[in-house]
Amino acid sequence: MNYQLLIESYSFGTTLSNQEIELLSLELETQIMNMNISTDFGCFKSAPSHICNGLNLRKGTFWIMCLAEILDIHNPSKISKTKSVRVYDLLLEKGLVVG
């Protein structure tokens, strides 16, 4: 299933299964690895406003940040940076966001 559909379903209140969370986790790691190759992928485009609102994120948030946020909600990090912070730092490093 497309990760964007899972994010949209979650933003509307659908509960994600452990398998879906694992798929989203693999998707995020793939996107992070591909960030060094290109920033032209769809994950670097803004998610629709209704999804940002559903996740309590700022309008115009990238898909990759929505993905990281959902994973942080389901598996919060207790010892290291959250996935959202890790992704934000990478986006900042690539000049895709302003700090």
Side-chain angles (χ1 to χ4, degrees):
M1 178 177 259
N2 182 312
Y3 79 93
Q4 292 174 334
L5 292 175
L6 287 174
I7 291 172
E8 184 166 34
S9 294
Y10 181 80
S11 73
F12 286 129
T14 302
T15 302
L16 298 175
S17 69
N18 289 337
Q19 183 180 14
E20 290 168 328
I21 296 297
E22 185 60 33
L23 288 171
L24 291 176
S25 183
L26 290 171
E27 178 66 32
L28 180 63
E29 292 308 316
T30 300
Q31 291 180 10
I32 289 171
M33 286 188 312
N34 287 331
M35 195 181 292
N36 291 324
I37 298 168
S38 175
T39 55
D40 292 332
F41 297 110
C43 61
F44 301 109
K45 292 184 178 15
S46 298
S49 296
H50 67 278
I51 291 176
C52 297
N53 289 338
L55 296 173
N56 295 318
L57 296 172
R58 183 180 55 81
K59 181 181 175 182
T61 298
F62 290 153
W63 278 105
I64 193 170
M65 287 298 298
C66 296
L67 178 53
E69 183 67 22
I70 290 173
L71 293 171
D72 286 341
I73 291 167
H74 284 83
N75 297 317
S77 177
K78 294 174 179 72
I79 57 173
S80 63
K81 289 182 182 179
T82 63
K83 289 178 179 10
S84 297
V85 169
R86 186 172 147 214
V87 168
Y88 183 81
D89 287 349
L90 290 169
L91 292 172
L92 190 60
E93 182 180 304
K94 296 286 183 188
L96 296 170
V97 294
V98 178

